[in-house]
Amino acid sequence: MPKNPFAGATFDKSRQKWKAQARFAGVLKSLGYYNTQVEAHEAVVQARQQPAELAITRRSIVEASGGNSPTVAQSNVLIEQPWALTLVEARIFVLFLQQLPRDETESRRLVVPLKELVGATPIGGRGYQYLHSALEGLAAVQVTLPVPNRQHDWHRAPLVHSMKLDSGQGTISGYFSPDVLPYLTNLAENFTLGQVADLLSIKSPTTHRFYWLLKSWEFRSPVTVPVARLKELTTGQAYPQYSDYRRNALIPAVAELNELSFEISYKEHKLGRSVDKVEFSIKSKARPIPKQLILPLDKEKGTVVTVVSELTPLQQKVQTRLQKLKLTQAQVKKVLDVVVGEEQLTKVLKETYPVLRDFETKAKPGENVAAATMALLKSTFPAIWASN
DNA sequence: TTTCCTACATCGATAAACTG
DNA sequence: CAGTTTATCGATGTAGGAAA
């Protein structure tokens, strides 16, 4: 059966008139009778628009820098572009931004030590191949820039040029293109700050996109975005089905961001049967992650452990994760003592994520989360048993 | 990670019943 | 009679697991 282009308007044979009806919150309502199908359809459209969308006209405000951790900034003009960077490309971009003085007026060569990208571990043979393609990808990025007062003009510029990888020095260097520079430095309005530590810890390119987008929308939260626009800005052509998009992009990204300094929730607005818009409620966590691990008294030795161990950002993430999973301070400490190295810590985060998700969604009520978590960790890291 | 599959939920269209 | 609600059906979107 062909779809009625005038939804909600149907011909009533017994009355020889067009009937308008629409469902609200699952309840079908009659909206009167009309002589034409178009009129009936318009009645439906109008009735639907009753909870009219609030026009957001607040002007953009300058975000205050929170805390003393390093931040990078970019104009919202750049953020609201459908560019698709790989994870490595996105990280390199962040590192370049970090090297860029905020008051720079001309494009200079920026140098990024490779170890900031990949850590102290040496880069294997294939590692350089990845880097090559990442730099190529970055060099190929084009952005569309606004042309003031001229609606029909069009300005497309490369993001960077002259990217260089010097394996001898262990550096990457390059220039931002002069056209783009005004959107990266001397920013006065409509720009967004990102935390370098957060950005570099992000594990998926989609989350990167979400990070900047949601951060730039935070000041006008709640924000309602049409699904088509959201997809365009985050995953582009992928996921023709919204449910696939939600599962593979939206949910993982929001979950990962909530592990960082965000508190994001969202509501789906449906148009008919399909999800039409997504309303985000975005907040930054007031008190992020405690910098220090508070250690309990060591009763056996009768001494006060006064160790003030500075935790790496990754260790802090593991700490908060385990705290969410209701582990005691002692258990958290034990895990952090035994599990060392970026790879291992990341593994902990990865392993415990499903547990946390199940716990938070109450998929397994009545379960002892802490015990389950410890069992899981002990099976993955036998050393935790050994140190018992 | 992405696509496919299936049970299920919800929608619009329609006929029919209800109300004053 | 005119307007509205109820019951039902086929179509289509969705959730969640399986398969690729």
Side-chain angles (χ1 to χ4, degrees), chain A residues 94-383:
Chain A
V94 169
L95 289 173
F96 270 114
L97 274 184
Q98 199 185 357
Q99 299 297 322
L100 186 68
R102 294 285 172 80
D103 54 356
E104 188 71 278
T105 51
E106 57 185 272
S107 186
R108 289 183 217 275
R109 177 169 289 278
L110 303 169
V111 180
V112 174
L114 271 180
K115 71 169 192 226
E116 294 201 20
L117 182 67
V118 295
T121 51
I123 299 169
R126 194 174 293 169
Y128 282 107
Q129 282 177 18
Y130 286 131
L131 277 177
H132 285 165
S133 55
L135 292 181
E136 251 171 53
L138 265 183
V141 171
Q142 300 267 320
V143 292
T144 305
L145 301 172
V147 181
N149 307 325
R150 302 217 186 151
Q151 289 200 339
H152 303 294
D153 287 5
W154 189 72
H155 185 187
R156 201 152 170 81
L159 178 68
V160 294
H161 63 211
S162 177
M163 301 293 287
K164 190 173 159 190
L165 172 63
D166 188 332
S167 59
Q169 299 222 320
T171 58
I172 320 171
S173 59
Y175 297 80
F176 282 113
S177 77
D179 288 334
V180 172
L181 203 64
Y183 299 94
L184 298 174
T185 62
N186 293 300
L187 295 166
E189 58 179 9
N190 289 327
F191 70 89
T192 300
L193 290 171
Q195 305 275 336
V196 172
D198 282 354
L199 284 164
L200 292 182
S201 75
I202 286 172
K203 296 188 285 291
S204 93
T206 306
T207 306
H208 253 276
R209 296 294 301 134
F210 271 95
Y211 183 97
W212 285 107
L213 278 174
L214 295 183
K215 195 113 190 184
S216 74
W217 292 340
E218 181 182 349
F219 76 93
R220 55 187 176 124
S221 167
V223 184
T224 305
V225 200
V227 164
R229 176 71 176 152
L230 187 63
K231 280 194 196 171
E232 182 194 8
L233 288 172
T234 52
T235 58
Q237 304 294 317
Y239 313 120
Q241 282 241 121
Y242 175 74
S243 61
D244 285 336
Y245 174 77
R246 170 174 42 204
R247 191 143 47 111
N248 299 318
L250 183 59
I251 288 178
V254 168
E256 192 176 355
L257 290 179
N258 281 335
E259 289 282 311
L260 300 174
S261 50
F262 278 106
E263 277 177 51
I264 300 162
S265 61
Y266 60 90
K267 270 191 290 187
E268 293 173 339
H269 294 240
K270 287 190 178 182
L271 181 68
R273 274 160 287 190
S274 59
V275 175
D276 176 52
K277 292 175 179 165
V278 181
E279 179 184 332
F280 287 98
S281 153
I282 311 158
K283 278 195 288 183
S284 284
K285 278 179 192 159
R287 211 65 206 94
I289 304 151
K291 286 270 193 286
Q292 296 169 355
L293 176 60
I294 301 152
L295 298 175
L297 295 180
D298 187 342
K299 282 173 187 166
E300 280 184 26
K301 292 176 186 169
T303 53
V304 179
V305 182
T306 54
V307 183
V308 191
S309 54
E310 279 292 333
L311 296 179
T312 68
L314 193 57
Q315 284 178 314
Q316 289 173 17
K317 282 180 69 177
V318 170
Q319 183 189 1
T320 27
R321 167 69 58 79
L322 296 180
Q323 283 167 350
K324 280 186 186 172
L325 289 166
K326 308 290 181 201
L327 264 63
T328 65
Q329 282 293 340
Q331 286 172 318
V332 174
K333 181 183 179 302
K334 187 175 291 175
V335 172
L336 286 177
D337 282 347
V338 172
V339 181
V340 287
E342 187 176 346
E343 195 182 329
Q344 298 287 297
L345 288 166
T346 311
K347 194 171 175 185
V348 171
L349 289 175
K350 198 176 167 185
E351 294 273 353
T352 54
Y353 178 70
V355 183
L356 180 68
R357 193 182 48 196
D358 286 351
F359 176 59
E360 288 188 338
T361 55
K362 307 245 189 307
K364 296 176 182 173
E367 195 184 29
N368 186 338
V369 204
T373 308
M374 281 308 280
L376 172 75
L377 290 175
K378 282 173 178 173
S379 70
T380 318
F381 303 96

